[in-house]
Amino acid sequence: MRIRALLSRLTSGGENEPLAAAAAVALNLLEKGDLYAGGPALTAVADGLPDDIRIDPADPMMAAGAACALQRKNEGGVVVASAAESDRLYASIALAVKLSLPLVLLVSCREANVDELSSRVMAADMECIPADGRGVMKLMPALRLAVDKAREGDGPTLIECVRDLPLDDEDTPADPLERLNSVLILEGYAMPEELL
Amino acid sequence: MSMMNCGTAIQSVLDKAASRPGNLLVIHVEPDSAATPAALSRRLSLPLTEDAGLSFALGCAQAGMKTVLDLTAIRGAAERLGAAFAALPGAARAPLAIRMRARVCPAIPGVRVISPANARECAGAMRYALRSEEICLIVENPLRAYEACEVPDDPDELFVGSEPIPAPEEPVSELAPVPVPGAAPEPAEEPAPEPAPEPAAPAVVPGPCAETAFRIRAYDPAELERTAALLGISRGELAALCCAQAGEKAELILETDSQPGEAACIPPEKADACLWVGRDRLTLCWKARALSAQAARSILSGTAALLEVPARLILERRE
């Protein structure tokens, strides 16, 4: 339900944000002392999250710098950053691998581009996990794996949030919030009227 | 008290800071080097460009490290750093000390630029930058990099540069209309025990100088000649460097042969801006419609640093 609240907050702008589901899952997994990078600045994860969390792409090099700082503090902190595909992303990937930084990058991509992105990231020796960017339940294991790996000092991971994967069946909603609602109702975690 | 040059003086300050428990991280950026994955070292060597290094260092600073970005290995970083800062969102700024070598001192909005003249001032500048809560840019003069002088071992001796130009709230294009504030006297470069918090400033950019008839006049041609020779460049190049302080589109007329008050190509009263180079002072007269006060101040301080004129700077605004 916490993820649903986060997702509801992140999608309240009404715009179709391809990284909203991944950001909601990541923010749910982060602990005190971790950092989330979205938009121009970093957000420290404390007891509560600020109202103005951004999910647009951050500067991956800045996120790498923050991860380097957390690595030197040696307190098990992790940085999760939303990022867009760019030369700066690949430069930060190379640096993060070389320094084994506790960094998880969320990159939105189309299904047609997954192979190209994966091959470039894996060529830099970075682990790359593709996941359905609209499905919270499908993002959860990938992000949990990546965050735990970073927290244990095993290096960075890139999560490819594919935004146009074919739906499982025609009844599956495309909207991440609606899809999560249907899962919560099906699994018995909530009644439909509670999710209005 | 020991004899040091600029590099060793700054290194000594950093070594002392690194020996104390704390969050100091020195990032040495060198494009052709390889990244050194020294696990928990206080020093890091990164193969980045200056703008990527700046982003990385700001990330470190935002995460709570006292970060020193060393750009001394990058040639011409001064010219490109201004653009990197201009493209930086306001929210990304964090306390940071940047060290670089340049003959021309850049004026970057929102950044305290400190241009120490000797090793003693270099040490004071780095001490100040490590204590400061703002972005400090220490610009070392490469011509004086190896000049040694006595540097006292006083941890409280600080060297503070001029007040930074207020940063724009959001990046603004160079051709955007600029509000023209009133003229303000150039602050004296005096050590301050503690940095004062910056007051909220209006969004102002230092330009533009396009279409400005700009001229430099030297009272003493021999003085200008000596400065050009010291820098290893021609008088024309020196003029161009001075002009670069005013913006690429400014028109510069350098007069070294005329005396004050003599008729010239553009009479001083008709020029939009006029810089007088004297033995012990620089005087800049400008018209408010052509140049903002902040642009005028940055031209004056930049040219003073370039010509190494003792800091007696006079700003005179014409209506």
Side-chain angles (χ1 to χ4, degrees), chain B residues 6-21:
Chain B
C6 293
T8 52
I10 287 183
Q11 200 56 53
S12 145
V13 172
L14 290 176
D15 287 343
K16 278 184 187 151
S19 66
R20 291 190 291 269

Side-chain angles (χ1 to χ4, degrees), chain A residues 35 39-43 59-74 79 88 91-92 94-101, chain B residues 23 25 34-44 46-48 51-53 55-65 88-89 91-92:
Chain A
L35 292 168
L42 295 164
T43 304
D59 182 347
M61 198 56 84
M62 194 175 283
C68 180
L70 294 188
Q71 186 190 47
R72 265 142 186 81
K73 286 182 181 173
N74 203 16
V79 178
R88 183 67 75 89
S92 60
L95 198 59
V97 170
K98 188 83 179 170
L99 301 176
S100 193
L101 298 178
Chain B
N23 287 330
L25 179 62
T36 52
L40 297 175
S41 163
R42 298 283 188 99
R43 293 174 200 281
L44 194 61
L46 299 179
L48 298 174
D51 59 333
S55 289
F56 189 91
L58 282 170
C60 285
Q62 284 190 45
M65 297 291 276
L88 207 63

